[in-house]
Amino acid sequence: MKKILVAVGLMTLASTAFAAKDCGELKSEIAAKLDAKGVPHYSLAAVDKGASANGKVVGTCDGDTKEIVYKRG
């Protein structure tokens, strides 16, 4: 019984952390990493998941309903 409670607790914690990731927060984290690597001239946009967007999907946010899209230039 104790193992089941621990497993349920871990799954709840993981799903809460995943759902809680705000798109603005994630964009800031990604931008900080790109800036630290010296990447010039880029844009990051939050779009609805599955929407066609020119660029590379680099993350998901808002409970996996949106994607962060990276574009050069």
Side-chain angles (χ1 to χ4, degrees):
M1 182 69 166
K2 198 174 198 178
K3 289 181 182 179
I4 293 172
L5 290 175
V6 170
V8 170
L10 290 175
M11 287 189 300
T12 302
L13 180 63
S15 66
T16 303
F18 178 71
K21 186 61 87 167
D22 177 65
C23 286
E25 179 184 350
L26 183 58
K27 281 174 57 176
S28 294
E29 291 173 10
I30 294 169
K33 289 178 183 180
L34 292 171
D35 292 341
K37 290 184 177 187
V39 177
H41 312 294
Y42 66 87
S43 66
L44 296 170
V47 298
D48 290 331
K49 189 169 185 173
S52 66
N54 294 332
K56 180 179 179 181
V57 175
V58 293
T60 60
C61 54
D62 284 352
D64 202 32
T65 61
K66 296 194 177 214
E67 297 174 327
I68 304 294
V69 177
Y70 164 82
K71 294 181 190 177
R72 288 185 188 186

